[in-house]
Amino acid sequence: MQVGFIGLGVMGRPMALRLARARAPLVVWNRSAAPAEALRAAGAEVAADPADVFARADVVILMLADEAAVDTVLGRGTPDFGPRVDRRVVVTMGTTSPEYSGALEADVRAAGGRYVEAPVSGSRVPAEQGRLVAMLAGEEEAVDTVRPLLAPMCHETFRCGAAPGALLMKLAVNLFLITQVTGLTEAFHFAQRQGLDRRLFLDVVAAGPLASGVSRMKAPKLLTGDFAVQAAALDVLKNNRLIADAARACGLASPLLDTCHALFEETVALGHAGADMVAVLRALEARSDAGGAGDARNGSPG
């Protein structure tokens, strides 16, 4: 089965490399040509454009930045859409709104194709290691087709029923991730401003029940001030907005998420959009330096 892969960014490139090195018959395309060269060296074919990928592949995986990018490569809303998706399985592995995904599934099926949501939990390092966790939703037969193809990239896959079940699951997971990393970063900031040994603080966290794969990955970045991207602050803000919209649509309270939303907006505004999400430290520092710590006695925000 010929597999197409479109979108070779921070996550897409290592994911596609895992497929190529597993010797999957693979054809790839990316808007900028340079990232595709590593895939060519690993044995993948490089397509001339998105239409070329769809012409040569049975299953096409999309790992793209946003909904507009997905629509563009599919030719959605143009006469190109039907011929591209007809008799193909379209797999979206990026994070979109659940409403968008449901509408896209309907359009793909109406055009004679099949559709699978397969968002993943994990950032660049797990992608490089093949340790992502995939959540799959769609028609059972289509999910059965896609699931084994993800093995080189994902060490676990979970069926989440009909679309948009996988995206809703991803948003729930991301809510936990965002609040967890923000909490660790705020605790680090607290320890630092209290004059504690920062390394000792992180060692204490690592030795106790609060340690996790996420804390072990983010702690060295906080300690050294290494904000090289694993999960970009701008992407976190986008995910935060998607979760908030889904919560509002159901009348759900999300106070922790709302605080994180404000902090990541400030992080991006301070010029750290492309930095790793631990750059939220800069927003916390800015608030502290401005005297905006808030009143800890009554919980009022800064």
Side-chain angles (χ1 to χ4, degrees):
M1 182 178 292
Q2 187 80 15
V3 179
F5 199 108
I6 297 178
L8 304 175
V10 171
M11 292 288 290
R13 183 174 177 272
M15 291 166 67
L17 280 170
R18 297 284 308 182
L19 285 174
R21 290 165 181 164
R23 302 191 180 280
L26 187 65
V27 55
V28 305
W29 183 82
N30 193 64
R31 185 174 57 180
S32 56
E37 291 310 308
L39 272 298
R40 194 194 304 273
E45 300 175 17
V46 179
D49 52 35
D52 190 21
V53 175
F54 283 94
R56 295 159 65 179
D58 305 294
V59 176
V60 179
I61 296 171
L62 308 179
M63 190 62 183
L64 296 165
D66 53 34
E67 297 163 5
V70 173
D71 285 347
T72 297
V73 302
L74 290 174
R76 193 171 178 215
T78 77
D80 295 330
F81 178 73
R84 287 189 189 180
V85 305
D86 183 29
R87 292 174 293 175
R88 285 151 183 99
V89 182
V90 177
V91 184
T92 54
M93 297 194 75
T95 306
T96 68
S97 75
E99 294 79 11
Y100 170 86
S101 184
L104 178 58
E105 180 188 39
D107 287 351
V108 169
R109 291 175 64 181
R114 294 184 292 165
Y115 178 80
V116 174
E117 288 178 350
V120 293
S121 179
S123 56
R124 177 179 56 82
V125 172
E128 292 170 345
Q129 298 170 342
R131 301 292 295 174
L132 296 171
V133 175
M135 293 143 277
L136 287 76
E139 291 183 321
E140 189 171 346
E141 183 181 352
V143 170
D144 287 342
T145 298
V146 169
R147 196 175 190 184
L149 300 178
L150 304 185
M153 301 180 285
C154 305
H155 78 109
E156 292 275 8
T157 57
F158 293 90
R159 294 177 183 267
C160 299
L167 275 164
L168 288 168
M169 186 69 74
K170 171 68 186 296
L171 295 183
V173 170
N174 276 4
L175 196 162
F176 180 40
L177 171 66
I178 292 168
T179 54
Q180 181 184 31
V181 173
T182 305
L184 173 65
T185 305
E186 184 173 329
F188 179 85
H189 177 59
F190 177 86
Q192 183 178 39
R193 291 296 175 101
Q194 294 289 349
L196 300 178
D197 183 313
R198 297 173 304 156
R199 184 184 296 276
L200 180 60
F201 162 72
L202 293 171
D203 286 346
V204 171
V205 171
L210 298 178
S212 68
V214 170
S215 67
R216 293 186 187 98
M217 186 180 300
K218 298 304 184 184
K221 299 179 77 62
L222 287 167
L223 185 63
T224 62
D226 169 22
F227 294 166
V229 67
Q230 292 173 341
L234 184 61
D235 291 335
V236 173
L237 179 57
K238 169 197 152 186
N239 277 268
N240 204 311
R241 287 171 175 157
L242 290 173
I243 302 165
D245 288 345
R248 300 296 175 268
C250 294
L252 300 179
S254 55
L256 294 179
L257 182 74
D258 296 344
T259 297
C260 293
H261 196 155
L263 285 166
F264 278 97
E265 282 186 330
E266 293 164 26
T267 303
V268 170
L270 287 167
H272 305 292
D276 189 73
M277 65 188 299
V278 295
V280 72
L281 178 64
R282 298 298 182 236
L284 292 164
E285 291 171 339
R287 285 195 183 194
S288 294
D289 292 343
D295 187 340
R297 293 169 296 177
N298 62 24
S300 63

